[in-house]
Structures are given as structure tokens and as C-alpha cells.
């Protein structure tokens, strides 16, 4: 048996040899001529000259052997809908969608924005884009008009695929009015709009712009076959926007060939997924976990993917476990928040289902606390595997691989997601000097050049921003910053210690505090605002907004304060969507800042969590801290 450490060392010492072998996992229309081109750091090009297609690899390739196997099982506990599609049926649906896109003028390289609830058509649309070489940009359905408009402006789509409505906890959320508002707000050229009508909400159409997608073909209508566009491995497959420190989200751009190879390898080594297995990833297609492990990786591997619209506790906390039994789910993947929610349910609901098909539960997206990890591992009596990654990397950076032939995998340690994954030159570095930290010393988690296949290739249309944001944090070193604090032990295990920047993580959703601040500032009563992340026992973190009003007397009466708080929350709802809504909005006369005017967000967050505010040598006016304390005191009373 080889030790995992040596296996990992080989993968980073000779990446061309390692990834050259993994590339056989996918179909290449024309073979590549070079595994890795690392001549222009920080950019890396994988499988140069090879042509392939993600949709071909996800569907067409499986037809001879698995045409009759389920590719997708859709379950909605919101509408009661259920649908099973074999690979052959998916192939028909994706071709229909691709033909509709072509008919609306979508060409290779064009952007298609997908703003959809969790319905099969969302997956068809993603795969249809991949088929015709269009670049998809999926926007999370929980986002509202403002978020949507920023993304439309940046991606400049020729087509938007959307639907009449989504549904959450039985409440219909109309999408079309949000989309119409976003298009009014946007400055980009007017795209066409293709709409799926679920008959949940009225959907007035704009003639000449909007088309309704036919839910089924006309009787006798032949199935169109749209040929796959063979893309060079490094052409963009998609853009996925993610939050950073500025109010302007970054378009994470991904390639085609590197992504396919990285996902296929991860499905085998990290998840232990085999052709014919059933995988249930409870996330949303609007997030990276949804892109990689609801849509692409399971289908690339010839597995059945389960697409779920609903909550983990509706109609009751047993719903997921009954799905495991009924659909014979082998692999399950979700975020720790979902487990913390389930932990509050009656354990009998869990024991009532036969979980014998389930081999492991994977968790990612936010820190996994030990009590939750222990509780769920005992409750389901299966391995619970934490993995750490981010939108930018597209697949896990730290975890414990499930199984690699001939390789001895280390035993897990509670509290740490695991060891660096093959392909990643991951280290914990001093944030100032860039030197590798000694074991046990806190630093920033960094990745040395080149990033492995599957990771972001650049920021959409902004190479400069890619270099400046990610590759300029360690002076004199070609290292990528994850913006996460971490600490590595003598056995290579890394523990995550939170973000180094102003990004917060609410129930596994990544949000930029700057975006929420900008949204709150739109309210005419607001003069200044600071948003910070505060620890929460269920959601991991929640946002607190501290607001300075133009007219401070407005917050003097408890009733006025409550009314204003409500109005401000609604502003965020309308602008960004309820996921970004602060848990509390508190009013102060002054915000703590440095003498150069920088907000002391960390000090505010510390006070909100009942901790000491830390180093305050640079503070301009210490009385601002008393105001924060007083506001928090007030919050307790109302
Ligand atoms: P996102 O890009 O939305 O996937 O969010 C990525 C961020 O979530 C990371 O940079 C981390 O801060 C956090 N994160 C993701 N997975 C984990 C994990 N397993 N443990 C701790 N934090 C995590």
C-alpha cells in the first residue's frame, strides 16, 4: 500500500503524469497535445488542444450502456411533483431545449443566464448550453432583482431561461416580476427570455422578448438532435458569480476539459461514486455544489442524480430519510446547517427508514461543528465526511478520500475536514511574509501555482481582477489566497478558522457584507451602515446591520425603531433576496472606524458575539464601541 502522503506528493510533483492518466475518464473528440501549459502564471491551461463536450460526456456517452437507467429523479415536496428520466429521456429533453435555444439565436460562446427554481428544466438548460457551446450563468433562485441585474450587466446574456415561480415552504415566490424588474434596471443589451410555465403564478409576456417553453413536444413532432459543439478544453463552460469584499460580485469562470476530468476523478476517489449509483445532493443549482455534484459529476460518472425541491423538514423531518429508502440512495451530500436543523427533529423520524443503501454522508460549505458531526454519525451509523472548498475551486481542496486503489487513507480527526486533496499544492502561510506556518500556527490557506484542473481559470472578462484579488496576497510568491484562516497539524490535517475577509457564511450561503451594506444604504433614512457576521447555533452565522440614520431621532421610540428595522429588511429582500436579509438591524449614532476611516468590522462582530473587541490602537473614537454595546443591549429588550 502507498501512503496517501506519497500519492499526493506525486500528484503535485508531476502533475502532467498524474492528470494525463486521469484524463482517460472522459471522452475526447480530439486528443490533447499537452497536459499542462504553465508558461503564463497565474493562468494554467489543462489538456491543451483536446476537444470535448460536457453534455456529450454526461449523456450521449452513456446511451449505449445506460439508456434505460435513471439519469435524474426529481422530487418536489413543494408542489408534489415527481418525475423520473432515464438517460435516453434526458437526452431527448436536453436536445429539445438545445433546439429551442438555437432557434432563439444562441451561438457558441454566447452567455445564457439561468434563473430557475429546482425543476428538471433547469438541468436541461445547463446541459443544453454545454451541448451547443453556450456559456451558462446560473443565478440562485433565492436572489432578487438587484442581484440579478448586476449579473445580467456583467455577463451580457443573449438569452435568459426562467420560470413563472419558485416555491419555498409552500409559499409561491413569483420569479417573473423579479426578472422583469432586473431587466428594467439592467444596462446590458436586451436579451430574449425563455420561460417555463409551472402554472404557479401569472406570467404576463412581453411580445417579441418572451417565449414560453413547450412543456412537451407536439404529438408526432420528431425529436430534434442538436449536434455537440466540440470545444477546446480551455474554452469557458460557465460563469458562476460569487461574493467578495466589494459590492460587485466576481464571475468565476470555469473551463471544459479540466472541469470534466477533475469532477470524474473526484467522484471516484473522493466520493466513491460508481456508475449506476444514486446520489442525492441537497443543495441548489445556483451554488457551486449544485453545479458540480447535482448536475455534472454524477452524470459524468453514469450515476443517477436526485433533484430535490423543498426543505429538509417538510412535511416532516423524515422526508430525506424516506427518500433514501425509496430511491435506494447511495451517496448523500448537504451542508451542516441542514443537519443542525434535522437535529432538532424527533430522532424516531430517522430510525423509521431503512438506510441500508446509504454508504456515506458528505458535508460541505461551512464549518462542521463537532457536536453536529458526532450526532449525525451516530444517528445514521455511516461515515460522515466533511469537505472544504469554494466556488472558485469547483471541487474539494481538503477532505479524506473515500478510496483510492492501493492507497492507504489516514483515519479521520474530528474538527478538521481532512488533508490536502491530490492536485492541490495547499499550505498554511503567514499572511504578511508568505512563509509556510509551522504546525499548529494559524495562517492563511494558500494554493501554490498551478491550480489543478477544474478550478477557476479567471474572473469573467477581467484577468486583472483575477490576478489582483487572488494572486497578489503573498508578496513575491505565485500563491492563490483562499481568504480562509487555517491551521495545519503534524499529520497534514487542516482545520478551518473562518474568513480573512468580509465574506460571511449564512446557512452555507456565501454573502458579501459589502453587498448587504450597499443594499441597506439605498434606504433614504440611512446615512451609514456596517454589516457583520455573528455566530448562530443553527445557521453558523447570521448578518447584523448597524445603521447610522440621517435623522437619529427617528430611532428614539421603540415602535419607530421596529418599523424602520422592518423597512430596512424589506429593502434587502427586494434588492438581494431574503437569504441576504440581516437577522437584526440596530441603530447607532456612530460606527467604530480607524483614523483612516476603515470600518472596524471585526471589533463590531466581537462585541455582537459577547467577546472583547481586540486590538483597538487605530480606533478614531472609542465612544463608538459604547454605542454598539448599547444598541446590542437594546436589541435584547425589544
Ligand atoms: P462558497 O464559495 O459559497 O462555496 O463558500 C466557500 C467558503 O465556505 C470557504 O471559503 C469557507 O470559508 C467556507 N467553507 C466551505 N466548506 C467548508 C468546510 N468544510 N469547513 C469550513 N468552512 C467551509
Amino acid at each position: 500500500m502507498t501512503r496517501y502522503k506519497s500519492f499526493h506528493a506525486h500528484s503535485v510533483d508531476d502533475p502532467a503524469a498524474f492528470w494525463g492518466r486521469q484524463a482517460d475518464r472522459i471522452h475526447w473528440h480530439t486528443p490533447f497535445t499537452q497536459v499542462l501549459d504553465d508558461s503564463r502564471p497565474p493562468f494554467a491551461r489543462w489538456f491543451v488542444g483536446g476537444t470535448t463536450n460536457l453534455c456529450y460526456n454526461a449523456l450521449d456517452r452513456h446511451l449505449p450502456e445506460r439508456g434505460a437507467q435513471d439519469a435524474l429523479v426529481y422530487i418536489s415536496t413543494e408542489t408534489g411533483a415527481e418525475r423520473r428520466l432515464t438517460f435516453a429521456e434526458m437526452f431527448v429533453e436536453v436536445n429539445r431545449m438545445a433546439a429551442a435555444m438555437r432557434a432563439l439565436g444562441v451561438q457558441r460562446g454566447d452567455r445564457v443566464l439561468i434563473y430557475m427554481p429546482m425543476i428538471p428544466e433547469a438541468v436541461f438548460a445547463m446541459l443544453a448550453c454545454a451541448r451547443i457551446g453556450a456559456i451558462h450563468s446560473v443565478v440562485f433562485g433565492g436572489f432578487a432583482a438587484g442581484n440579478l441585474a448586476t449579473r445580467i450587466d456583467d455577463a451580457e446574456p443573449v438569452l435568459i431561461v426562467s420560470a413563472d415561480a419558485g416555491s419555498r415552504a409552500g409559499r409561491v415566490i413569483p420569479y417573473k416580476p423579479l426578472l422583469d424588474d432586473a431587466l428594467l434596471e439592467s444596462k446590458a443589451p436586451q436579451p430574449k427570455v425563455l420561460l417555463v410555465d409551472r402554472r404557479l403564478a401569472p406570467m404576463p409576456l412581453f411580445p417579441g422578448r418572451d417565449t414560453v417553453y413547450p412543456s412537451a413536444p407536439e404529438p408526432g413532432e420528431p425529436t430534434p438532435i442538436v449536434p455537440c459543439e466540440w470545444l477546446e478544453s480551455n474554452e469557458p463552460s460557465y460563469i458562476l458569480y460569487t461574493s467578495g469584499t466589494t459590492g460587485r460580485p466576481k464571475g468565476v469562470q470555469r473551463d471544459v476539459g479540466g472541469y470534466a476530468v477533475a469532477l470524474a476523478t473526484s467522484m471516484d476517489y473522493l466520493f466513491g461514486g460508481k456508475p449506476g449509483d444514486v446520489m442525492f445532493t441537497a443543495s441548489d443549482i445556483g451554488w457551486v455544489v449544485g453545479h458540480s455534484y447535482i448536475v455534472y459529476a454524477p452524470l459524468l460518472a453514469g450515476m443517477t442524480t436526485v433533484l430535490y425541491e423543498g426543505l429538509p423538514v417538510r412535511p416532516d423531518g423524515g422526508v430525506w430519510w424516506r427518500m433514501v429508502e425509496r430511491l435506494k440512495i447511495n451517496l448523500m451530500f448537504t451542508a451542516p446547517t441542514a443537519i443542525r436543523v434535522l437535529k432538532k427533529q424527533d430522532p424516531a423520524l430517522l430510525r423509521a427508514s431503512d438506510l441500508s443503501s446509504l454508504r456515506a454522508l458528505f458535508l460541505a460549505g461551512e464549518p462542521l461543528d463537532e457536536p453536529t458531526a458526532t450526532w449525525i454519525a451516530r444517528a445514521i451509523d455511516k461515515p460522515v465526511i466533511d469537505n472544504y472548498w469554494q466556488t472558485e475551486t469547483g471541487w474539494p481542496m481538503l477532505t479524506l478520500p473515500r478510496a483510492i486503489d492501493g492507497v492507504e487513507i489516514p483515519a479521520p480527526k474530528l474538527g478538521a475536514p481532512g488533508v490536502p486533496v491530490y492536485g492541490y499544492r495547499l499550505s498554511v502561510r503567514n499572511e504578511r511574509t508568505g512563509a509556510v506556518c509551522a504546525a499548529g500556527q494559524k495562517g492563511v490557506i494558500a494554493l501554490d501555482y498551478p491550480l489543478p484542473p477544474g478550478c477557476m481559470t479567471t474572473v469573467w472578462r477581467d484577468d486583472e481582477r483575477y490576478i489582483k484579488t487572488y494572486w497578489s496576497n503573498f508578496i513575491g510568491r505565485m500563491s492563490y489566497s483562499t481568504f480562509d484562516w487555517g491551521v495545519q497539524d503534524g499529520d497534514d490535517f487542516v482545520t478551518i478558522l473562518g474568513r480573512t475577509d468580509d465574506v460571511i457564511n449564512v446557512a452555507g450561503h456565501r454573502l458579501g457584507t459589502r453587498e448587504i451594506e450597499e443594499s441597506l444604504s439605498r434606504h433614504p433614512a440611512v446615512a451609514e451602515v456596517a454589516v457583520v457576521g455573528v455566530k448562530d447555533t443553527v445557521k453558523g452565522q447570521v448578518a447584523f446591520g448597524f445603521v447610522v440614520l440621517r435623522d437619529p431621532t427617528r430611532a428614539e421610540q421603540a415602535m419607530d425603531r421596529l418599523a424602520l428595522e422592518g423597512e430596512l429588511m424589506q429593502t434587502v429582500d427586494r434588492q438581494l433576496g431574503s437569504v441576504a436579509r440581516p437577522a437584526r438591524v440596530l441603530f447607532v449614532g456612530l460606527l467604530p472606524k480607524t483614523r483612516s476611516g476603515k470600518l472596524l468590522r471585526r471589533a463590531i462582530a466581537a462585541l455582537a458575539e459577547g467577546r472583547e473587541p481586540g486590538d483597538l490602537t487605530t480606533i478614531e473614537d472609542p465612544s463608538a464601541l459604547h454605542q454598539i454595546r448599547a444598541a446590542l443591549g437594546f436589541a435584547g429588550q425589544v
Side-chain angles (χ1 to χ4, degrees):
M1 286 286 254
T2 314
R3 288 179 61 219
Y4 177 73
K5 203 177 169 71
S6 319
F7 176 81
H8 177 270
H10 162 66
S11 75
V12 294
D13 292 345
D14 194 352
F18 181 85
W19 290 107
R21 270 197 305 279
Q22 303 300 335
D24 290 347
R25 294 177 186 271
I26 70 157
H27 168 84
W28 294 93
H29 183 65
T30 36
F32 46 87
T33 51
Q34 192 183 358
V35 176
L36 167 65
D37 170 9
D38 56 0
S39 59
R40 204 167 65 92
F43 302 95
R45 285 153 43 85
W46 288 96
F47 311 113
V48 182
T51 62
T52 185
N53 182 289
L54 278 167
C55 180
Y56 182 89
N57 276 285
L59 295 180
D60 305 40
R61 189 170 56 126
H62 301 304
L63 291 177
E65 229 183 296
R66 335 196 148 265
Q69 178 197 309
D70 283 340
L72 184 134
V73 179
Y74 172 58
I75 294 190
S76 172
T77 47
E78 294 290 333
T79 62
E82 195 164 327
R83 191 172 172 193
R84 276 173 185 261
L85 290 121
T86 62
F87 275 94
E89 288 162 341
M90 273 287 269
F91 177 78
V92 170
E93 290 291 357
V94 170
N95 273 283
R96 275 185 64 222
M97 183 66 88
M101 288 183 179
R102 276 261 188 266
L104 289 167
V106 181
Q107 303 285 328
R108 176 175 178 157
D110 284 345
R111 273 79 57 215
V112 173
L113 190 139
I114 299 173
Y115 179 57
M116 298 275 261
M118 292 284 282
I119 53 176
E121 286 81 357
V123 181
F124 306 160
M126 290 169 77
L127 293 171
C129 286
R131 190 167 192 88
I132 63 175
I135 302 167
H136 61 66
S137 182
V138 183
V139 177
F140 174 53
F143 282 151
N147 259 327
L148 202 46
T150 347
R151 285 152 174 80
I152 295 171
D153 282 344
D154 196 70
E156 297 190 325
V158 300
L159 174 71
I160 298 183
V161 187
S162 189
D164 56 338
S167 175
R168 192 172 163 79
R171 199 167 63 88
V172 169
I173 302 162
Y175 280 20
K176 182 69 181 5
L178 297 176
L179 178 59
D180 289 341
D181 284 354
L183 283 169
L184 273 180
E185 210 178 298
S186 151
K187 294 168 206 71
Q190 182 87 303
K192 297 267 185 212
V193 177
L194 183 62
L195 292 150
V196 174
D197 190 0
R198 308 177 73 190
R199 301 183 190 284
L200 293 179
M203 195 171 61
L205 302 179
F206 277 75
R209 188 193 76 182
D210 300 352
T211 314
V212 176
Y213 184 69
S215 58
E218 295 292 325
E221 190 184 299
T223 302
I225 301 283
V226 180
C228 289
E229 284 284 331
W230 298 108
L231 303 178
E232 200 277 336
S233 174
N234 296 281
E235 283 184 56
S237 56
Y238 69 73
I239 311 167
L240 180 54
Y241 287 90
T242 190
S243 301
T245 38
T246 67
R248 200 162 57 94
K250 291 182 288 264
V252 168
Q253 180 176 319
R254 195 107 49 220
D255 67 0
V256 178
Y259 188 50
V261 172
L263 288 187
T265 310
S266 75
M267 190 45 91
D268 181 12
Y269 287 171
L270 302 184
F271 292 86
K274 305 288 175 218
D277 277 348
V278 181
M279 181 162 192
F280 171 29
T281 299
S283 175
D284 191 284
I285 48 145
W287 306 119
V288 70
V289 173
H291 280 64
S292 293
Y293 296 103
I294 296 177
V295 182
Y296 288 112
L299 296 177
L300 287 172
M303 294 159 60
T304 304
T305 188
V306 178
L307 182 74
Y308 177 71
E309 182 187 43
L311 300 179
V313 289
R314 216 171 153 270
D316 61 58
V319 57
W320 283 4
W321 312 117
R322 289 194 294 277
M323 279 168 58
V324 169
E325 176 177 325
R326 187 159 67 90
L327 305 178
K328 302 210 167 23
I329 290 167
N330 307 110
L331 308 174
M332 206 168 147
F333 188 177
T334 189
T337 293
I339 305 301
R340 288 194 289 265
V341 167
L342 289 172
K343 208 162 119 186
K344 299 187 171 206
Q345 304 285 310
D346 182 357
L349 285 167
L350 209 154
R351 284 195 293 271
S353 294
D354 172 6
L355 305 185
S356 55
S357 61
L358 192 66
R359 297 201 296 267
L361 170 69
F362 300 87
L363 297 172
E366 52 174 324
L368 172 63
D369 55 290
E370 292 188 26
T372 304
T374 312
W375 175 81
I376 188 68
R378 283 206 190 117
I380 61 174
D381 194 20
K382 310 277 173 182
V384 172
I385 296 154
D386 188 3
N387 57 58
Y388 159 80
W389 46 300
Q390 45 187 203
T391 307
E392 289 85 345
T393 65
W395 60 287
M397 282 180 268
L398 288 172
T399 189
L400 285 174
R402 280 294 281 155
I404 306 174
D405 264 353
V407 178
E408 189 187 335
I409 311 292
K413 289 190 191 187
L414 266 184
V419 293
V421 168
Y422 54 83
Y424 286 97
R425 301 163 190 254
L426 185 146
S427 56
V428 174
R429 293 188 176 274
N430 180 285
E431 73 273 23
R432 277 190 307 276
T433 64
V436 173
C437 295
Q441 226 172 43
K442 176 178 167 178
V444 180
I445 300 176
L447 304 172
D448 281 357
Y449 180 77
L451 300 184
C455 293
M456 82 185 289
T457 50
T458 188
V459 172
W460 170 248
R461 278 185 179 157
D462 202 345
D463 287 352
E464 255 325 287
R465 194 172 177 200
Y466 176 57
I467 297 170
K468 249 181 97 183
T469 307
Y470 295 103
W471 294 93
S472 310
N473 298 281
F474 306 100
I475 296 167
R477 286 206 62 83
M478 205 27 92
S479 284
Y480 164 99
S481 175
T482 60
F483 298 100
D484 281 309
W485 294 112
V487 58
Q488 192 159 24
D489 71 9
D491 299 323
D492 295 342
F493 279 73
V494 180
T495 302
I496 315 296
L497 303 170
R499 295 282 302 193
T500 66
D501 58 8
D502 298 321
V503 166
I504 60 171
N505 197 320
V506 179
H509 302 325
R510 172 165 161 186
L511 303 169
T513 47
R514 204 50 230 135
E515 285 165 74
I516 307 177
E517 285 169 3
E518 282 181 14
S519 172
L520 286 168
S521 304
R522 286 191 167 211
H523 192 286
V526 173
E528 244 189 316
V529 54
V531 170
V532 298
V534 179
K535 272 206 181 93
D536 180 84
T537 49
V538 173
K539 296 183 171 180
Q541 274 186 311
V542 291
F544 270 34
F546 291 86
V547 170
V548 179
L549 292 173
R550 286 185 199 283
D551 172 7
T553 57
R554 285 200 60 187
E556 274 168 15
Q557 300 297 321
M559 283 314 290
D560 294 346
R561 258 202 323 275
L562 277 179
L564 250 181
E565 182 174 0
E567 272 179 39
L568 286 165
M569 288 186 182
Q570 272 176 21
T571 308
V572 178
D573 277 10
R574 270 198 305 273
Q575 182 65 25
L576 302 179
S578 56
V579 275
R581 182 196 305 156
R584 293 306 321 253
V585 173
L586 306 162
F587 301 100
V588 290
L590 185 70
L591 289 168
K593 287 188 189 162
T594 63
R595 278 184 281 277
S596 55
K598 243 185 111 209
L599 267 177
L600 285 164
R601 286 201 188 77
R602 242 164 260 172
I604 306 175
L607 291 176
E609 289 176 356
R611 292 182 285 117
E612 284 306 311
D615 179 14
L616 292 171
T617 42
T618 56
I619 194 165
E620 159 113 68
D621 182 348
S623 75
L625 296 176
H626 303 309
Q627 301 226 10
I628 299 278
R629 279 202 186 92
L632 288 161
F634 256 138
Q637 287 163 28
V638 286

